Amino acid sequence: MVTAPPVVPEFGRELAALGWVTDLLVAGSLATGDHRPGVSDLDLVALTDGPVDAPRQDVLAALHRRVDAGAGAGLKLGCVYVDGATVADVQLRHPTWTHGLLVQRILSGITRAELVRHGYAVFGRPPRDVLPPMSDDDVRAAARAELTGYWAWAARRPWLWLDPALADLGLTSMARGRHALRHGDLLTKSRAVEQAHAPTWLVDQLRARRRGEDVSSPRIRTALIAWQDARRTVATARHPNRA
């Protein structure tokens, strides 16, 4: 675990003051010890006392906009808001603040695994006390769901990979997915860079960007490498006996 930036406990105090947020939990790179200031997202999960209805969503959106404005464009703080009574429902969508918008998303299996295996509470109960355990087979299933869900969708749209951010994310996500399928545990993004299926020159550039350096890769060539890697990894996840 690495020390959380000051905005996290400050944000926790704001949520606790609302009176209906019971727990604020830390997932992602901050939980696994792989957080890179200015590069990594802040992945949080809040449990609430009752449904997050439209009035509550309005309150949360206003709070997040104020926090984002105060911290600047590099904050990248996201939070999933889960009614504590529904936390065991893996298919239910929850209000989620991400990249300046409040959208509806599930609490993914990978995020659940990060919480149960590495997460901690900013306030409230520890993640292991409020979430079901995640076995190695559960982690494998969560990785397969992500690969055959969003990433399969993206692999059918090669033009999306011209976005350098998606290409980078795809290369590390495929490495993390392959590792989870094989071993039933989680791989940090920094370690995933080292296991990316990419030429040495591109791995070097991925590593530099992970350190926060302003390094560019050839856009079309990188897109092709990342897209082909995604297609292969998704196919393996769908048909493991053919691998």
Side-chain angles (χ1 to χ4, degrees):
M1 185 176 73
V2 297
T3 302
V7 69
V8 173
E10 292 168 5
F11 180 67
R13 286 190 287 273
E14 296 253 25
L15 286 183
L18 296 176
W20 41 267
V21 177
T22 59
D23 311 84
L24 181 61
L25 312 177
V26 174
S29 60
L30 197 56
T32 62
D34 191 44
H35 184 76
R36 300 292 185 268
V39 174
S40 302
D41 293 345
L42 296 170
D43 298 310
L44 306 176
V45 176
L47 302 183
T48 64
D49 181 7
V52 185
D53 55 15
R56 286 182 171 183
Q57 290 183 41
D58 289 343
V59 169
L60 292 172
L63 171 58
H64 274 282
R65 290 190 188 101
R66 178 160 49 81
V67 170
D68 286 356
L75 176 60
K76 296 190 285 188
L77 186 151
C79 190
V80 186
Y81 293 90
V82 181
D83 178 356
T86 69
V87 72
D89 188 339
V90 297
Q91 298 299 326
L92 192 64
R93 295 181 180 271
H94 312 281
T96 302
W97 184 264
T98 178
H99 298 98
L101 295 172
L102 194 64
V103 299
Q104 300 292 319
R105 291 185 179 174
I106 65 168
L107 181 61
S108 76
I110 293 298
T111 299
R112 289 171 181 268
E114 289 172 345
L115 286 169
V116 170
R117 296 191 171 198
H118 303 286
Y120 63 92
V122 178
F123 67 85
R125 298 159 291 177
R128 294 169 188 81
D129 290 353
V130 295
L131 290 163
M134 294 284 291
S135 69
D136 290 356
D137 283 343
D138 291 332
V139 173
R140 290 186 179 96
R144 183 169 285 107
E146 292 211 352
L147 290 170
T148 60
Y150 171 76
W151 289 111
W153 176 89
R156 294 192 298 271
R157 293 160 173 80
W159 60 90
L160 296 178
W161 298 82
L162 292 168
D163 177 354
L166 180 66
D168 276 15
L169 180 61
L171 286 166
T172 55
S173 295
M174 295 308 103
R176 298 176 83 185
R178 289 189 295 268
H179 180 90
L181 289 175
R182 290 191 193 107
H183 303 289
D185 63 13
L186 302 171
L187 190 68
T188 66
K189 193 170 287 186
S190 293
R191 288 178 61 201
V193 167
E194 306 305 321
Q195 296 186 25
H197 285 183
T200 301
W201 61 265
L202 182 50
V203 171
D204 288 342
Q205 292 170 354
L206 290 170
R207 194 183 293 124
R209 284 193 285 275
R210 185 72 184 152
R211 293 193 299 263
E213 298 175 20
D214 186 13
V215 175
S216 298
S217 299
R219 186 170 174 233
I220 295 176
R221 193 174 174 192
T222 301
L224 182 60
I225 292 167
W227 174 62
Q228 290 177 333
D229 183 37
R231 292 186 67 195
R232 289 190 297 265
T233 305
V234 166
T236 299
R238 280 178 164 160
H239 307 289
N241 293 332
R242 298 183 190 176

